[in-house]
Structure formats: C-alpha cells, structure tokens
Amino acid sequence: MTEKNINTETIILNAARVVFQHKGFDGARMQEIADEAKINKSLLHYYYRSKELLFEAIFNEALLKFIPKISIVLSSDISLEMKVEAFVESYINMLIENPFLPGFVLNEISRNPEKIIGLILQLGVNPNKLDAILQKEIEQGKIKNISSKEFIVNLISMCVFPFIAKAIIQGFLFGNNNKEAQQFLLERKKSIPKFFMNAIKK
Amino acid sequence: MTEKNINTETIILNAARVVFQHKGFDGARMQEIADEAKINKSLLHYYYRSKELLFEAIFNEALLKFIPKISIVLSSDISLEMKVEAFVESYINMLIENPFLPGFVLNEISRNPEKIIGLILQLGVNPNKLDAILQKEIEQGKIKNISSKEFIVNLISMCVFPFIAKAIIQGFLFGNNNKEAQQFLLERKKSIPKFFMNAIKK
DNA sequence: TATATATTTGACCAATTGGTTAAACCAAAT
DNA sequence: ATTTGGTTTAACCAATTGGTCAAATATATA
C-alpha cells in the first residue's frame, strides 16, 4: 500500500517532470502526463489535486537543483582557482544531466515572478561569504578588483547560457551537428575556469 | 483605406508582440491580444489567418533582432578591444529596450527546434571573419589562444544571460530592489568588455 | 472469509479557446 | 443617392482541457 503509493507518486512525478520541463506549464497537458506515466488521468488528480499543485511539486524541485549551492564549495579549504574549478565542474555536470532545467526554471519565473519571491527569500543566499573571500584576495593583490555580484553573474552566465541556447548555438556554430555541440558544452568544464581566472587574476 | 489598413496591422502587431513576449505561444490568448489592441477578435483572423501565422510574424521579427549583427562591428577598422566594446554597448542597449526578447526567442526555439533550422541556415552567419581576426591577433601575440566559438559564446552569454535571469538575480543579489538590479545591468556595458578583454589579453 | 480502506478507472461536464460566418459599417467611385 | 469594395463586429461552433464522480478493483484488517 505505502510502497505502491510511493511508487505511483514517483511515476507521476517522473512523467510530470518530463512533460513540464519540455512544454512548460501552459503547454503541458494533464492527459499527456498521464500517458507518459501510463496511468489514468483521474489518478493525477487523486495524488495531486490540480495541475497547479503538480506543477509546483516539479518546479520547486527544479528551482532547488538550479540554485547553485555555492556555499559548499566556498567553505572548503582550497585556493580560489580550485574553488572556481570545482564549482564549474559540478554545476556543468548537473546541467548535462538536466539540460532542460535552466530554460524551464527561468522561463516559469519570468512568467510569474511574484510567486517565487517567497521561495527565494526562504532559501536565503548570503553573498557575504563570497564577498569576504574576494576582498581578501583583492587586498593580497592576487586578483583584480571585482564585486561578488559581477563575479557570480559572469561565472553562472557562462555556465548556464549555452544550455539555454543550445539549439541556436548548435545551429549557428556547429551546422546542426549535435555531437560537436554536445562536446563543446562538455569542454567548457575546463575552458570556463581557465577563461574566468585569466579575467580576474593579476 | 490603405493607411487605415496599415495602421490596424501595426496596432495588431504591437499588441501581439506584447502578449506573445510575455506569455509565450501557449500562454497567449487571441482574445487577450484583441483586448490589448482594442479590437474585435475576428479582426485578428482577418489580418492573420491563424494564431500560428500571427505568432510567426512576431517570432521572426524577434529572432532577427536577437541574432547579433556581429559582422558590422567586425568589419570596421578599429582594434579588437574597441570592437568588443562597440558590440557589447549596442547589444546591451538593444536588450534594455527589449528585455523580454531573449527569454521569448530562446524559449520558443527550444520548444520547437526543427522550425527554426531553416531560418538559421537562411541567415547564414559566417564565423570565418571572426576566426581570421582572432587568428591574426593570436599570431601577433596580442591575445591568448581562444577559438572563435568560445569567444562568441562567452561574450554573448555574459550579455544576454542576466536579462533572462533578471528576476532571479534581482531576488537573490539585490533583495528584490528593481532599481539597483536595473543599474547593475546598465553598468555591464562597461564591465563586460573590461572583464572579457582581461580574460583574453596577453 | 468478510469488512473496511485505499487505489484505479471510464464516463462525463463545464469552461475555455481558436476559428467561422453572416451581417453591419464605412469610405470612395459612379 | 447608390453601388462597390474592403473593414469591423456580434453571434456562434467544434474541439480541447482541467476537473469530477461513481463504480470497480485491489489491498489490508478483523
């Protein structure tokens, strides 16, 4: 009972994840999610009362995965360069496993910004820690003067954007060759930290 | 007659642009576009036979604006650094005027990649020119070794991504202070070229 | 085994939505 | 003034969609 229960719920969530991430809230159809899960449509409403609630379950999970857990990397006792390397490596690995995540999350946020304000404040990211680290490095003359905001926005931009724009990059720069485009994304695990550290090192 | 004709058509396009860019194809309602244009819904179908056709008109226009016209900047007779500055300046100006453009275009592309393959091939971007320029600079020892693909992807990532992620950046880094976040985007016209050139200069 | 409880299904519904159509309207030409 | 052409509207329609409900089925409990 409980096991079957959990199982069905997982099946539903997996199906909903696929459909919502590909089509967005407006484009997704409850029937399509039911088909994907190979269950009756009514069963969706049995476990999640409405499309809204089912979507929220998927979206919250996606948002948590999308928000990089920088603090873990930051608090480790390694050089800034290695921190950047470790962050990019783990974040791009996540993106390769969840290529539709960024587009999905960012799109739904901009479609409904008010809804996530609460979630964001709840998560409570503190840029202070990064601020302190950067300040020390700057004072020691190791890196150029850069704000933590620029630092984090530039780094995440270079990691995430190519995944959002993969189709267009693949079309324009790789003659629609999927393999080459995919390889390009992979290699960025190495090229981004190199590029990034060159930009800030003194 | 003709004047009125053109006028109505423009009114419709303006209304459709607003609604489609905010809600996407699936989220947009023909009735809402009609309301925005303050006309009868049937009139939409009189000028554009279907939602699809009206959407295509908006999307093609948006795609053309979104694809940076790099060649213009590239062919001018100024240093690479100034080319980068000019490109970022003009591109971010466009983004400030059309903040919803990137999310709209990229989202609809990833929702329907096949449809734009034709458009892309038609536009025919040639990275060769940029390739040649970079190669020369590298040989002259002015910049580090970097492929034109990395060059263009990194540059455009840093320009575009913050606009797609504005809501989340504003929430996390600026305590939902719109003005500060907007100011941040503006200042990137200067900070991106500086950061970027530091990364590639030798 | 019999009873109660939870799960799954098929049939159905009300609301929404893109689209159609015939009639009304309006400006210019005759 | 009447006709003619394109333009605009109101009423309507068929299909889709999220959601409901009662019946059926499986599962656990007594």
Side-chain angles (χ1 to χ4, degrees):
Chain A
M1 166 202 187
T2 307
E3 196 185 335
K4 194 175 187 181
N5 201 327
I6 290 173
N7 206 20
T8 310
E9 214 168 316
T10 308
I11 289 173
I12 289 178
L13 284 179
N14 287 340
R17 194 178 302 117
V18 170
V19 176
F20 276 133
Q21 286 197 11
H22 276 79
K23 311 246 174 138
F25 180 81
D26 292 320
R29 298 285 160 252
M30 292 297 268
Q31 185 59 59
E32 194 181 349
I33 295 174
D35 291 346
E36 175 80 24
K38 281 162 189 156
I39 58 165
N40 190 288
K41 178 165 71 98
S42 302
L43 206 52
L44 293 181
H45 290 92
Y46 178 75
Y47 282 93
Y48 298 87
R49 285 207 316 289
S50 66
K51 186 183 182 184
E52 237 90 21
L53 289 175
L54 179 53
F55 176 80
E56 252 170 54
I58 297 299
F59 180 80
N60 291 350
E61 166 200 88
L63 182 67
L64 287 179
K65 205 181 277 184
F66 180 67
I67 301 302
K69 351 115 213 73
I70 332 176
S71 46
I72 299 174
V73 176
L74 284 185
S75 53
S76 69
D77 189 25
I78 51 178
S79 69
L80 182 64
E81 180 157 13
M82 287 178 79
K83 280 173 183 163
V84 169
E85 282 169 7
F87 170 78
V88 171
E89 166 98 13
S90 81
Y91 200 59
I92 288 196
N93 279 341
M94 183 278 288
L95 290 170
I96 285 172
E97 279 166 26
N98 306 274
F100 289 94
L101 201 86
F104 170 66
V105 170
L106 292 172
N107 195 50
E108 299 300 333
I109 286 178
S110 76
R111 195 86 75 226
N112 205 340
E114 310 87 15
K115 219 180 69 182
I116 61 135
I117 290 179
L119 274 174
I120 283 180
L121 295 179
Q122 228 172 351
L123 291 175
V125 173
N126 58 338
N128 303 338
K129 196 181 282 178
L130 178 57
D131 249 333
I133 291 176
L134 290 183
Q135 210 52 46
K136 191 187 271 181
E137 297 270 328
I138 292 169
E139 279 166 15
Q140 290 177 350
K142 288 182 179 170
I143 65 170
K144 299 196 177 74
N145 193 36
I146 185 172
S147 75
S148 62
K149 291 178 174 71
E150 267 184 73
F151 184 98
I152 202 66
V153 167
N154 284 345
L155 190 54
I156 293 184
S157 293
M158 288 193 286
C159 289
V160 175
F161 181 78
F163 283 86
I164 307 176
K166 189 189 173 191
I168 210 169
I169 288 173
Q170 186 173 309
F172 273 107
L173 298 183
F174 293 95
N176 266 312
N177 182 322
N178 186 304
K179 282 224 172 134
E180 280 184 35
Q182 191 66 25
Q183 182 62 22
F184 176 75
L185 293 182
L186 261 169
E187 285 166 2
R188 288 179 68 76
K189 283 197 269 187
K190 298 255 163 88
S191 71
I192 291 176
K194 215 184 293 178
F195 182 93
F196 188 84
M197 290 310 295
N198 279 339
I200 65 173
K201 257 193 296 196
K202 232 174 183 168
Chain B
M1 167 210 205
T2 307
E3 198 184 333
K4 196 175 186 180
N5 200 325
I6 290 173
N7 207 19
T8 310
E9 214 169 314
T10 308
I11 290 172
I12 289 179
L13 284 179
N14 288 340
R17 195 178 302 118
V18 170
V19 176
F20 275 132
Q21 287 197 11
H22 277 79
K23 312 247 173 135
F25 179 81
D26 292 321
R29 298 285 160 251
M30 292 297 268
Q31 186 59 58
E32 194 180 349
I33 296 174
D35 291 346
E36 174 80 25
K38 282 163 188 154
I39 58 166
N40 189 285
K41 179 165 69 96
S42 302
L43 206 52
L44 294 181
H45 289 93
Y46 178 74
Y47 282 94
Y48 298 87
R49 285 207 316 288
S50 67
K51 186 184 182 183
E52 236 91 21
L53 289 175
L54 179 54
F55 176 80
E56 254 170 53
I58 298 299
F59 179 80
N60 291 348
E61 165 200 88
L63 182 66
L64 287 179
K65 205 182 275 182
F66 180 66
I67 301 302
K69 352 116 213 71
I70 332 174
S71 45
I72 299 174
V73 176
L74 285 185
S75 54
S76 69
D77 191 24
I78 51 178
S79 70
L80 182 64
E81 182 157 12
M82 289 178 77
K83 279 172 183 163
V84 169
E85 283 169 8
F87 170 77
V88 171
E89 165 97 14
S90 80
Y91 201 58
I92 288 194
N93 279 340
M94 184 277 290
L95 290 170
I96 286 171
E97 280 167 26
N98 306 274
F100 288 95
L101 201 85
F104 170 67
V105 170
L106 291 171
N107 194 50
E108 299 300 334
I109 285 178
S110 78
R111 196 86 74 228
N112 204 339
E114 310 86 14
K115 218 179 69 180
I116 60 134
I117 290 179
L119 274 174
I120 283 179
L121 296 179
Q122 229 173 348
L123 292 176
V125 174
N126 58 338
N128 304 336
K129 198 181 279 179
L130 177 59
D131 248 333
I133 292 176
L134 291 182
Q135 210 51 47
K136 193 188 270 182
E137 298 271 326
I138 292 169
E139 279 166 16
Q140 290 178 351
K142 289 181 179 171
I143 67 170
K144 299 197 179 74
N145 192 37
I146 186 172
S147 75
S148 61
K149 290 178 175 72
E150 266 185 73
F151 184 97
I152 201 68
V153 167
N154 285 345
L155 190 55
I156 294 184
S157 293
M158 288 194 287
C159 289
V160 174
F161 181 78
F163 284 85
I164 307 177
K166 189 189 173 189
I168 210 169
I169 288 174
Q170 184 173 310
F172 273 107
L173 299 184
F174 294 95
N176 266 313
N177 183 321
N178 186 304
K179 282 225 174 135
E180 281 183 34
Q182 191 67 25
Q183 181 63 22
F184 176 75
L185 292 182
L186 260 169
E187 283 165 3
R188 288 179 69 76
K189 282 198 267 187
K190 297 254 164 88
S191 71
I192 291 176
K194 216 185 290 178
F195 182 93
F196 189 84
M197 290 309 297
N198 279 338
I200 65 172
K201 256 194 294 197
K202 233 176 182 166

